[in-house]
Amino acid sequence: SATNDLLGADPLIGLSPEKKELLRRLRESVADLDKPDDSDYYYSRWLIARKWNLEKAENLLRTHLKFRKENIDPIRDWTPPEVLRKFFPGGFFGEDRQGHPVWYDHFGNLDPRGFYRSVQKEDFFKLKIKYLETIMKVLRDYSEMKGRYIGNATSVIDMENFSFQKHYHWPSIRVFRELLSIFEANYPESTKRIIIVRAPKIFPAAYNLVKHFMDEYTRQKIVVLGGNWKEEIQKYIAPDQLPEAYGGTR
């Protein structure tokens, strides 16, 4: 049921002594590196993402910290070009039934060909990394505000206006693949659930094209709602936290 949602559970509750020991060892193994956080929650992200394999978790974290120095620190004060801000409508609104923030993304309105012609790929990556950093900051703020750990967000992806003709653009699919691997390698455990609404009949075929780029853990978090999505979505998000256009009262 919605109130017993393990995807949003506190990852440190009920940890076995073996896993606590792995957390301690991971912290020790990267003690030589600068990190944005030194909490058990931070280290648990990398261990959970690698199924508690210490060596793999350490590799993932070390690679991320290098990525951070090279790609995240330099864009703190970067302002995205106007065309990018216009191309990518999206943002936070309300929270889900467990009090996690909800990010809305109007993917169906995206024009991949137009975007590909008018935007530098590097700028697109910078924008998405900036968005992801914003999400991490919102999660930290939420944790402080609620007085408990909130480590991941729910995403609602709106596929209205999605069509093969418009969205099947191989160069953009390649960019999406790259972006996905950046996300999975550098922001593990930051997504609680991905809810897809207004998916047209061709959506399953389109999803088949990209789903094998995703790791299995990400795929398990995707929920595609059907024709009565306005009722279905309320299982995850209460009406007073939903925008009117999504059947809510806000």
Side-chain angles (χ1 to χ4, degrees), residues 60-228:
L60 188 65
L61 178 50
R62 282 186 177 273
T63 308
H64 162 70
L65 292 170
K66 186 172 182 289
F67 176 86
R68 196 169 187 86
K69 203 178 257 177
E70 292 167 4
N71 299 282
I72 297 173
D73 296 341
I75 64 167
R76 286 198 196 289
D77 304 319
W78 173 76
T79 306
E82 193 194 345
V83 63
L84 259 185
R85 296 200 297 274
K86 210 169 64 190
F87 259 118
F88 288 97
F92 281 108
F93 186 93
E95 53 187 55
D96 68 16
R97 286 190 180 270
Q98 286 71 44
H100 292 232
V102 181
W103 174 271
Y104 287 82
D105 214 320
H106 288 266
F107 186 79
N109 287 336
L110 187 65
D111 166 17
R113 285 177 175 80
F115 139 73
Y116 200 80
R117 278 196 304 269
S118 48
V119 173
Q120 295 284 322
K121 190 171 88 168
E122 284 65 36
D123 280 347
F124 170 65
F125 282 160
K126 280 190 207 167
L127 179 82
K128 283 301 188 183
I129 289 166
K130 222 169 162 62
Y131 272 178
L132 289 162
E133 286 295 301
T134 302
I135 289 171
M136 299 313 282
K137 184 185 181 316
V138 167
L139 291 170
R140 287 193 296 275
D141 292 348
Y142 253 73
S143 299
E144 224 163 274
M145 181 176 81
K146 303 255 178 196
R148 63 187 169 91
Y149 177 68
I150 298 206
N152 48 29
T154 287
S155 292
V156 176
I157 313 284
D158 191 334
M159 300 301 282
E160 190 183 29
N161 302 324
F162 177 87
S163 71
F164 246 137
Q165 201 178 354
K166 186 168 88 170
H167 289 86
Y168 186 74
H169 180 240
W170 193 242
S172 300
I173 291 171
R174 275 205 306 271
V175 169
F176 171 76
R177 265 170 79 167
E178 271 181 73
L179 185 66
L180 195 65
S181 58
I182 288 174
F183 172 69
E184 287 178 342
N186 295 284
Y187 299 90
E189 295 306 296
S190 58
T191 297
K192 178 183 171 189
R193 181 179 279 107
I194 299 164
I195 302 170
I196 294 177
V197 301
R198 294 200 264 223
K201 286 193 171 60
I202 58 136
F203 177 74
Y207 179 52
N208 279 337
L209 281 176
V210 295
K211 75 174 183 189
H212 53 275
F213 308 149
M214 302 177 188
D215 74 26
E216 192 199 341
Y217 207 49
T218 304
R219 285 204 301 268
Q220 286 170 357
K221 294 178 177 183
I222 295 174
V223 183
V224 183
L225 302 186
N228 61 337

Side-chain angles (χ1 to χ4, degrees), residues 25-59:
R25 286 171 61 192
L26 179 60
R27 176 186 267 111
E28 215 169 67
S29 70
V30 292
D32 56 316
L33 299 173
D34 269 346
K35 294 165 293 292
D37 187 354
D38 192 46
S39 68
D40 279 354
Y41 288 112
Y42 181 72
Y43 294 110
S44 76
R45 278 187 190 280
W46 311 94
L47 281 160
I48 292 168
R50 288 297 172 262
K51 298 186 170 67
W52 294 87
N53 178 309
L54 182 62
E55 195 183 329
K56 288 181 179 174
E58 185 187 338
N59 283 342

